[in-house]
Amino acid sequence: MANVAVGDLVIRKSHGGDIVFKVTNIYEDNTGQSHCTLKGMHLRLVADAPLSDLERVGAEHLRNEILHMESVHNDTLKRVLMRRSMEREKVNNIRAEHAKKYEYFEMPGRVLHLDGDEEYLAMCLKTYNQMNIDAVGRCIEESKQPEHVIALVDEYRPDILILTGHDALLGGGKKDFKDINNYRNSRYFIESVRKARIFEPSKDDLVIFAGACQSYFEAILIAGANFASAPTRIFIHAYDPVFIAEKVAFTPINRTVDIGDAITASVTGADGVGGIETRGKFRLGLPKTPY
């Protein structure tokens, strides 16, 4: 049996070690067999596995996983900032006729990010900061998010609301993708979206991304989200919600977000995230004061 403890990084032997997980809980089932609850190291996935199926991650494997994760993050961030630079040139042309008289200031959309995973939230908040997005984050368990979402939206009045954490399809064999009971946390994302829409019904005044790995994409959109995961029920990356939020935050208010560009800006692409036409949240203002 594997010598595994809570907090260890492990792989599942039965899955060929395809995903690195952190052990968050160890428990015994009705037969006395030890099982572990696992969360993905960089994928928004929660899974359960027999303790005997787990193997602790070696130093070299972990090093490669971290390097891969950093490479994905840095490449996506670089692509986003390059795209933003090109868009800024277009905006500067609009400013040119008033440049001698006024200096503009910029107001990207503000983000409220509720995440069921404290480590992921810290990673996301760091990335918002790197992209100059004003973001507030709260670590709230997925099942508790519906209880808190209205009060937090009322308190912070964000332009963009992110509801995420972990999710997964449950059970083995052929799954009914339209049965909400087959999803670990999708019901909570759906309920949170519905409650947020009670507070702000307009999809342009409050832009919502909701979901995690393998989430019930269609039901989340029907509940009122602008963007959601996961159209083909694949695993999504920890940073996917952040890069969707960035595209919305920096698309001008008088334009709709290019859905194709928004999805391309994510890590997993159209298999992992999707959405509907949505107006951007970026505003220019003038004059810029010296204070």
Side-chain angles (χ1 to χ4, degrees), residues 120-135:
Y120 282 4
L121 179 61
M123 292 160 53
C124 291
L125 289 175
K126 179 180 177 181
T127 305
Y128 288 125
N129 184 59
Q130 290 174 312
M131 297 189 295
N132 296 315
I133 295 175
D134 181 10

Side-chain angles (χ1 to χ4, degrees), residues 20-51:
V20 175
F21 292 94
K22 175 182 274 190
V23 178
T24 60
N25 185 35
I26 299 176
Y27 62 95
E28 289 188 356
D29 64 13
N30 295 333
T31 66
Q33 184 180 14
S34 295
H35 285 254
C36 294
T37 303
L38 313 170
K39 72 169 186 177
M41 182 176 171
H42 64 271
L43 297 175
R44 291 187 172 276
L45 173 69
V46 170
D48 294 291
L51 184 61

Side-chain angles (χ1 to χ4, degrees), residues 92 94-104 286-287:
N92 287 339
I94 297 173
R95 298 174 178 175
E97 59 182 289
H98 300 297
K100 295 179 181 178
K101 193 171 181 180
Y102 303 112
E103 185 177 358
Y104 284 81
L286 63 84

Side-chain angles (χ1 to χ4, degrees), residues 130-187:
Q130 290 174 312
M131 297 189 295
N132 296 315
I133 295 175
D134 181 10
V136 173
R138 292 290 179 269
C139 182
I140 302 176
E141 185 180 337
E142 295 84 355
S143 63
K144 301 291 179 58
Q145 289 181 11
E147 299 175 25
H148 298 280
V149 64
I150 291 180
L152 289 170
V153 170
D154 188 25
E155 179 179 357
Y156 293 106
R157 299 299 174 110
D159 300 300
I160 302 161
L161 173 64
I162 305 296
L163 301 163
T164 189
H166 295 281
D167 205 354
L169 277 164
L170 302 174
K174 188 175 181 180
K175 300 178 179 66
D176 180 359
F177 295 141
K178 294 184 178 181
D179 184 351
I180 190 62
N181 296 311
N182 287 335
Y183 297 84
R184 185 183 294 269
N185 286 322
S186 288
R187 68 175 70 253

Side-chain angles (χ1 to χ4, degrees), residues 44 163-165 167 189 209-213 215 220 227-229 236 241:
R44 291 187 172 276
L163 301 163
T164 189
D167 205 354
F189 297 132
F209 174 100
C213 280
S215 290
I220 294 173
F227 298 92
S229 59
I236 73 166

Side-chain angles (χ1 to χ4, degrees), residues 7-287:
D8 284 349
L9 296 175
V10 298
I11 56 175
R12 296 176 297 181
K13 291 180 285 188
S14 62
H15 287 68
D18 56 342
I19 299 172
V20 175
F21 292 94
K22 175 182 274 190
V23 178
T24 60
N25 185 35
I26 299 176
Y27 62 95
E28 289 188 356
D29 64 13
N30 295 333
T31 66
Q33 184 180 14
S34 295
H35 285 254
C36 294
T37 303
L38 313 170
K39 72 169 186 177
M41 182 176 171
H42 64 271
L43 297 175
R44 291 187 172 276
L45 173 69
V46 170
D48 294 291
L51 184 61
S52 58
D53 187 38
L54 302 181
E55 180 180 308
R56 294 175 66 183
V57 174
E60 184 64 21
H61 190 146
L62 179 59
R63 177 180 176 276
N64 291 336
E65 187 74 12
I66 292 172
L67 288 174
H68 173 70
M69 183 170 67
E70 290 180 347
S71 175
V72 168
H73 172 263
N74 293 336
D75 288 348
T76 307
L77 182 60
K78 187 183 300 182
R79 188 169 66 247
V80 165
L81 294 178
M82 186 178 298
R83 186 209 73 225
R84 191 191 297 174
S85 177
M86 295 172 63
E87 292 174 348
R88 189 180 296 274
E89 288 184 20
K90 297 177 184 178
V91 172
N92 287 339
N93 291 334
I94 297 173
R95 298 174 178 175
E97 59 182 289
H98 300 297
K100 295 179 181 178
K101 193 171 181 180
Y102 303 112
E103 185 177 358
Y104 284 81
F105 61 90
E106 300 179 345
M107 292 181 63
R110 294 170 295 113
V111 174
L112 171 61
H113 186 133
L114 308 188
D115 204 316
D117 188 296
E118 188 171 7
E119 293 177 349
Y120 282 4
L121 179 61
M123 292 160 53
C124 291
L125 289 175
K126 179 180 177 181
T127 305
Y128 288 125
N129 184 59
Q130 290 174 312
M131 297 189 295
N132 296 315
I133 295 175
D134 181 10
V136 173
R138 292 290 179 269
C139 182
I140 302 176
E141 185 180 337
E142 295 84 355
S143 63
K144 301 291 179 58
Q145 289 181 11
E147 299 175 25
H148 298 280
V149 64
I150 291 180
L152 289 170
V153 170
D154 188 25
E155 179 179 357
Y156 293 106
R157 299 299 174 110
D159 300 300
I160 302 161
L161 173 64
I162 305 296
L163 301 163
T164 189
H166 295 281
D167 205 354
L169 277 164
L170 302 174
K174 188 175 181 180
K175 300 178 179 66
D176 180 359
F177 295 141
K178 294 184 178 181
D179 184 351
I180 190 62
N181 296 311
N182 287 335
Y183 297 84
R184 185 183 294 269
N185 286 322
S186 288
R187 68 175 70 253
Y188 305 121
F189 297 132
I190 292 167
E191 187 179 353
S192 294
V193 171
R194 286 175 177 160
K195 289 195 171 184
R197 283 288 172 236
I198 292 173
F199 184 88
E200 178 48 72
S202 171
K203 291 184 174 69
D204 288 324
D205 290 337
L206 179 63
V207 177
I208 302 176
F209 174 100
C213 280
Q214 299 184 317
S215 290
Y216 194 165
F217 173 76
E218 299 84 3
I220 294 173
L221 287 184
I222 290 170
N226 301 69
F227 298 92
S229 59
T232 62
R233 306 307 192 263
I234 68 167
F235 305 145
I236 73 166
H237 198 277
Y239 292 114
D240 277 333
V242 176
F243 291 120
I244 292 291
E246 186 279 337
K247 180 61 178 175
V248 176
F250 280 91
T251 295
I253 194 74
N254 60 356
R255 284 170 41 196
T256 56
V257 176
D258 186 310
I259 303 174
D261 282 352
I263 293 171
T264 301
S266 69
V267 178
T268 52
D271 287 339
V273 296
I276 60 173
E277 284 187 314
T278 300
R279 193 171 297 280
K281 305 302 290 187
F282 178 83
R283 298 176 186 268
L284 286 177
L286 63 84

